[in-house]
Amino acid sequence: MIRKDEGKCLKQTIGNLGESLARNYFEKKGYAILQTNWRIRHLEIDIIASKNEVLHIIEVKTQKKSTAGFPEENVTRKKMKNLMVAADHYQMIDKRWKALQFDVLSIILGQPEHEFLLIEDVYL
């Protein structure tokens, strides 16, 4: 039987692995990683990156292959609203960005390879 704190630890470990894979994924695609796990109050942006003069606010969702459903299904309307608020705060600090885009990177951990799905320009 898995204790509640063990389940939380496993979820955090999977999340950390996903964010590491995501950084590599975006760097290989020519993105410049500006920030990871950027926080303002209770809000967090997993990855802030830039490419072609566009600021990318990226939510990373990761799960094991055996889990039902798809990781991107866990990006709720509330999460997107929180990302938008956090992005507004970030743009107050770094005012050089005229173009902004919200993206979701879905990662399914698998053997032998992981599956990546990039959903670009996400809006409510």
Side-chain angles (χ1 to χ4, degrees):
M1 177 176 216
I2 296 177
R3 293 188 341 223
K4 186 176 181 179
D5 57 340
E6 288 174 341
K8 185 176 182 181
C9 185
L10 177 62
K11 185 177 178 182
Q12 188 172 21
T13 300
I14 290 170
N16 290 342
L17 173 59
E19 289 180 13
S20 177
L21 291 168
R23 283 190 297 275
N24 291 336
Y25 174 89
F26 285 108
E27 286 172 345
K28 286 179 183 177
K29 293 201 173 286
Y31 290 72
I33 304 297
L34 305 175
Q35 300 277 340
T36 57
N37 302 108
W38 186 82
R39 291 184 172 275
I40 181 97
R41 295 191 305 259
H42 67 284
L43 305 173
E44 180 182 6
I45 301 172
D46 292 334
I47 297 176
I48 301 173
S50 67
K51 184 175 181 183
N52 300 329
E53 300 183 23
V54 175
L55 182 67
H56 293 264
I57 304 299
I58 303 164
E59 176 67 11
V60 179
K61 289 295 184 188
T62 309
Q63 70 185 37
K64 292 167 59 172
K65 192 171 193 100
S66 61
T67 308
F70 298 99
E72 64 272 16
E73 293 172 344
N74 295 311
V75 180
T76 64
R77 185 175 203 81
K78 180 179 180 180
K79 179 61 179 174
M80 286 304 301
K81 285 182 180 182
N82 286 343
L83 282 175
M84 290 175 183
V85 171
D88 285 344
H89 284 284
Y90 184 81
Q91 285 187 294
M92 284 187 237
I93 295 166
D94 189 347
K95 299 180 187 295
R96 64 187 155 151
W97 303 102
K98 304 295 183 232
L100 172 70
Q101 181 172 311
F102 294 91
D103 303 321
V104 174
L105 181 63
S106 171
I107 304 171
I108 298 176
L109 302 176
Q111 297 297 333
E113 294 186 19
H114 308 304
E115 298 174 29
F116 294 85
L117 173 64
L118 177 59
I119 305 169
E120 299 180 274
D121 242 352
V122 176
Y123 290 98
L124 290 176

